[in-house]
Amino acid sequence: MKNAARVISQIAFFIIFIVLILQARMHIWLIFFGATLLAAVFLGRIYCGWICPIHTGMRPINWLAKKIGYKRLRVPRILKSRVLPWIMLGLMVIVIIMSRLARVNVPILLLILALGALLTLIFQPEVFHTYICPYGALQGLAGRIARKSYRVDKKNCDGCSICKAACEAEAIAIKNGKADIHKGVCLQCGLCEQSCPQDTISYRTDRWF
Ligand code: SF4
Ligand code: SF4
């Protein structure tokens, strides 16, 4: 049920995104993105899991690759430091400023969407979500302090790693035999909750203090 709601949300926002592109009103999407950053402080990275058109564009490729058993590369060691999203963000800001000064329209979001789709053909989705996406870097900052997020009820977790394998963001680590979710990396997609045989993962409120 939650999965169907997420698909509907992603398709609806993808259509809105395309309409805004066709109307050359991308500033509306960027304002909306800013609002989702604020929302991430309370709800986690729901933009990434439920709204992001780049993620939506990657999903059918990822689904097909899994269906036909097409093996893709895991995270290259060079990306593990997680500096690339910030470099990407810096480059993006420079391109936006320069394109404004030159009065040239550069479709940044569309280019990153194409990059996400292309990389999904080569790498597992976590490579883009966690180690490349500049929007994800910003969402991750807010997501780190999210009031609500997917959490593991540690007392019922047996450390089987099934949730870790299901996660497309590499947000789950097994520590001391128990799963642990990194809030700043979690896309709030709920795949781990659906996969856990112990039913021990849920979206719930954390105490801030
Ligand atoms: S799938 Fe469930 S039981 Fe297994 S490691 Fe994850 S949270 Fe723990
Ligand atoms: S599978 Fe779970 S931990 Fe991974 S991104 Fe989705 S909700 Fe977050």
Side-chain angles (χ1 to χ4, degrees), residues 9 11 47 63 92 103 107 139 166 177 184 209:
S9 165
I11 292 172
Y47 175 86
W63 176 83
M92 219 175 78
R103 295 181 189 277
Q139 290 282 341
F209 304 105

Side-chain angles (χ1 to χ4, degrees), residues 12-47:
F13 280 107
F14 192 83
I15 292 169
I16 293 169
F17 174 75
I18 297 296
V19 169
L20 289 175
I21 286 180
L22 294 175
Q23 295 181 345
R25 295 164 81 189
M26 280 316 292
H27 60 282
I28 294 178
W29 188 269
L30 291 176
I31 293 168
F32 174 61
F33 176 79
T36 66
L37 277 181
L38 188 62
V41 173
F42 300 95
L43 304 173
R45 295 173 56 173
I46 48 163
Y47 175 86

Side-chain angles (χ1 to χ4, degrees), residues 19-86:
V19 169
L20 289 175
I21 286 180
L22 294 175
Q23 295 181 345
R25 295 164 81 189
M26 280 316 292
H27 60 282
I28 294 178
W29 188 269
L30 291 176
I31 293 168
F32 174 61
F33 176 79
T36 66
L37 277 181
L38 188 62
V41 173
F42 300 95
L43 304 173
R45 295 173 56 173
I46 48 163
Y47 175 86
C48 301
W50 290 69
I51 296 168
C52 175
I54 305 170
H55 188 170
T56 309
M58 290 165 65
R59 278 194 77 173
I61 299 170
N62 191 39
W63 176 83
L64 190 63
K66 279 185 183 165
K67 199 86 183 157
I68 63 175
Y70 170 60
K71 291 256 180 290
R72 289 162 295 164
L73 302 174
R74 299 205 67 87
V75 184
R77 198 188 288 181
I78 195 165
L79 295 184
K80 288 276 183 181
S81 67
R82 305 221 332 237
V83 292
L84 189 56
W86 297 105

Side-chain angles (χ1 to χ4, degrees), residues 97-205:
I97 293 171
M98 290 186 67
S99 62
R100 284 283 149 88
L101 290 175
R103 295 181 189 277
V104 177
N105 189 20
V106 180
I108 296 264
L109 260 165
L110 264 187
L111 289 174
I112 298 181
L113 196 154
L115 178 70
L118 184 69
L119 289 174
T120 310
L121 290 171
I122 305 164
F123 296 103
Q124 294 284 348
E126 60 264 29
V127 172
F128 183 80
H129 290 314
T130 305
Y131 298 97
I132 293 178
C133 181
Y135 299 101
L138 289 173
Q139 290 282 341
L141 277 186
R144 271 169 191 266
I145 53 166
R147 182 98 163 102
K148 283 180 85 90
S149 184
Y150 279 92
R151 309 297 292 162
V152 178
D153 181 358
K154 300 256 167 56
K155 65 180 182 303
N156 294 323
C157 172
D158 62 10
C160 68
S161 287
I162 292 173
C163 56
K164 183 171 158 53
C167 180
E168 294 178 356
E170 224 176 49
I172 302 178
I174 305 295
K175 295 179 182 166
N176 301 320
K178 307 281 181 187
D180 187 64
I181 297 176
H182 188 315
K183 282 199 293 188
V185 179
C186 175
L187 311 177
Q188 311 302 337
C189 67
L191 292 177
C192 53
E193 180 189 37
Q194 292 156 32
S195 71
C196 177
Q198 305 292 342
D199 204 15
T200 191
I201 300 178
S202 58
Y203 182 65
R204 58 176 188 265
T205 307

